[in-house]
Amino acid sequence: MSTGPGAHSAPAPTTHDSPPGPSGGTRRSSMFSSLRVRNYRLFFAGQVVSNIGTWMQRIAQDWLVLSLTGSATAVGVTTALQFLPMLLFGLYGGVLVDRWPKRRTLLFTQLAMAVTGIALALLTLSGHVEVWHVYVAAFAVGLATVLDNPARQSFVSEMVGPDQLQNAVSLNSANFQSARLVGPAVAGLMITGVGTGWAFLANGLSFVAPIAGLLLMRGRELHAVRRAPRGKGQLREGLHYVAGRPDLIWPIVLVGFVGTFGFNFPVYLSAFADDVFHAGAGSYSLFNTLMAVGSLAGALLAARRGTSRMRVLIAAAVAFGVMELVAAAAPSLWLFALLMAPIGMFGMTVNVTANTTIQMGTDPAMRGRVMALYMMVFLGGSPVGAPIAGWITDAYGVRAGLAAGGAVSALAAAVVGLVLARVGGLRLSVGWRHGHPVLRFVPRERRKELSAAV
């Protein structure tokens, strides 16, 4: 959401982190400006290595479960177990993150995920792995994520300060998506060459990089943020805070629908590779890699933009759903693969725009709880959506499952867009500009002026 002139997409939030630019709008920064901060550079570099390992494990995990069971539903159950802790405990995790030092919290969570990856590697390499081992490992990673996600999201502001927050959030997403360009490709080579166990081991060892980066940071250069004292009612306080902010609650609702029904790619892509196009792990990795290309483009474009506009969020969510509907009907492997790029771009635009909108509009003392709610809704929807997607895929085919996810995402975006327009006192304006029709939402009081101008 833009807080500058012309941002008529929704009511402007009370921002705490966006310094005004010369004209009263949000200051525009270069694409990589936040990397000038030493602490953030250390964090960013460590996350590059760790994210590559994470994507390797995701690919290896999904393929291992599919190999052990031959069931898309089992893949969905694995995904659900990984995100179930966020759904169950995510809000309380945000309360703890607001109380605890975030750097120490991240050291603990990164170490826990490293141990989980190494344990799964040892089971797989020894030939004793069973599907329930993968289920347990996925759930253990999910437990660590309950603290890791809100801590990592809110720690960004402590590293870079308010001036660079939006740029750093966007670069974090670009970092994660860049790893998708490497991780799936390397995972595909390792799975076909030496087996899934080595991919799990590589992931476990990759956590050395972010742990080292956190230890090397200079504490005196971090931006101090008031931590919430221990007390009663802090969870309820966070929920009331979000409920009273339409500019926060409706983006969270939208990403909830998109995350629950549209982002079940571990189920969809593995089934398309195996059942529809009868290809192997290489094609599954190709789908993920091409989606990462689009996601990286979406993240970098978000880093380039000086503001986060609500209309960009709505338009991207509609486009994301429509492209999933088109991909569901793709007749060939290569056409389906090419469609992964725009799906990734629009999906990442939804994620980054919603994330930055919420962080920029949230009081720093509440950020852990608000981001926990955001991540709980976005990631925690998978325990609901993934088994449903797997069941639809097994019962009616993966094309029906992907089409259903796209339809729900597009419909949710349209409804949320109309609700935000009504809350913000906006109306649809139809006019002409440079010989072309223009559709946009404008304040009610401007509608007559624009109609007269037409």
Side-chain angles (χ1 to χ4, degrees):
M1 182 194 308
S2 172
T3 57
H8 300 302
S9 300
T14 303
T15 59
H16 303 273
D17 294 295
S18 299
S23 61
T26 303
R27 184 179 300 163
R28 188 182 183 88
S29 59
S30 65
M31 186 176 290
F32 303 103
S33 58
S34 57
L35 290 176
R36 300 190 188 106
V37 180
R38 179 184 180 276
N39 283 343
Y40 182 70
R41 284 199 305 273
L42 290 170
F43 178 83
F44 188 90
Q47 290 298 309
V48 167
V49 178
S50 178
N51 286 336
I52 291 173
T54 296
W55 278 110
M56 291 174 63
Q57 174 143 332
R58 285 192 179 189
I59 301 299
Q61 176 181 280
D62 296 338
W63 199 256
L64 176 61
V65 171
L66 193 63
S67 300
L68 291 173
T69 65
S71 170
T73 301
V75 177
V77 169
T78 307
T79 303
L81 286 172
Q82 186 161 332
F83 296 117
L84 181 62
M86 180 63 71
L87 181 63
L88 297 177
F89 312 117
L91 289 176
Y92 188 67
V95 172
L96 297 178
V97 166
D98 278 337
R99 293 177 184 170
W100 295 347
K102 296 178 181 60
R103 184 158 61 139
R104 293 181 190 173
T105 302
L106 288 171
L107 284 169
F108 168 76
T109 59
Q110 298 290 291
L111 181 61
M113 287 189 279
V115 171
T116 301
I118 293 173
L120 189 57
L122 294 177
L123 284 169
T124 306
L125 291 173
S126 65
H128 294 97
V129 69
E130 299 179 20
V131 68
W132 72 268
H133 294 142
V134 185
Y135 289 164
V136 171
F139 189 77
V141 170
L143 286 175
T145 302
V146 168
L147 293 175
D148 186 79
N149 265 335
R152 186 158 30 87
Q153 297 284 341
S154 53
F155 186 53
V156 173
S157 64
E158 296 188 24
M159 289 185 287
V160 303
D163 291 6
Q164 301 292 341
L165 177 59
Q166 181 168 335
N167 181 263
V169 169
S170 299
L171 287 184
N172 276 352
S173 297
N175 185 329
F176 189 67
Q177 299 309 320
S178 297
R180 289 182 68 182
L181 297 174
V182 180
V186 176
L189 292 174
M190 294 188 74
I191 291 171
T192 56
V194 295
T196 56
W198 292 102
F200 295 139
L201 181 60
N203 174 59
L205 296 177
S206 72
F207 285 99
V208 171
I211 290 173
L214 289 166
L215 292 174
L216 290 172
M217 287 183 184
R218 296 170 182 164
R220 66 181 181 275
E221 295 179 5
L222 293 173
H223 294 254
V225 174
R226 179 177 58 87
R227 294 203 301 267
R230 184 180 181 88
K232 296 182 178 180
Q234 291 178 323
L235 179 58
R236 185 169 58 253
E237 180 187 9
L239 293 174
H240 287 168
Y241 177 83
V242 175
R245 296 282 301 277
D247 56 304
L248 298 181
I249 188 63
W250 286 109
I252 291 176
V253 169
L254 175 57
V255 298
F257 276 100
V258 174
T260 300
F261 299 101
F263 271 77
N264 293 299
F265 295 114
V267 178
Y268 299 141
L269 299 189
S270 59
F272 263 98
D274 192 50
D275 299 333
V276 176
F277 300 119
H278 307 291
S283 294
Y284 180 46
S285 296
L286 174 65
F287 296 157
N288 281 278
T289 301
L290 289 175
M291 184 176 290
V293 172
S295 299
L296 177 60
L300 290 176
L301 287 172
R304 184 69 176 173
R305 286 194 300 269
T307 57
S308 296
R309 295 180 181 271
M310 193 67 71
R311 64 190 181 197
V312 174
L313 172 62
I314 300 300
V318 171
F320 172 80
V322 171
M323 292 307 299
E324 283 199 334
L325 287 167
V326 174
S332 67
L333 184 150
W334 289 109
L335 178 58
F336 180 83
L338 290 175
L339 287 170
M340 293 300 100
I343 288 175
M345 183 181 70
F346 291 124
M348 181 50 54
T349 302
V350 171
N351 190 6
V352 172
T353 305
N355 190 312
T356 54
T357 295
I358 292 167
Q359 286 215 52
M360 298 291 285
T362 301
D363 188 304
M366 301 291 297
R367 190 168 286 142
R369 278 163 284 183
V370 174
M371 293 311 298
L373 176 61
Y374 169 80
M375 299 306 297
M376 185 196 75
V377 171
F378 183 62
L379 300 178
S382 294
V384 177
I388 293 175
W391 175 77
I392 294 176
T393 295
D394 286 340
Y396 302 102
V398 65
R399 293 186 185 276
L402 183 58
V408 171
S409 299
L411 180 61
V415 171
V416 170
L418 291 174
V419 170
L420 283 171
R422 186 172 183 84
V423 169
L426 305 179
R427 290 292 184 269
L428 182 65
S429 172
V430 181
W432 289 85
R433 185 176 184 181
H434 303 302
H436 299 286
V438 176
L439 300 177
R440 59 176 178 169
F441 286 104
V442 299
R444 294 175 182 175
E445 57 270 20
R446 292 189 59 201
R447 191 179 186 189
K448 292 182 180 179
E449 299 174 12
L450 291 172
S451 298
V454 175

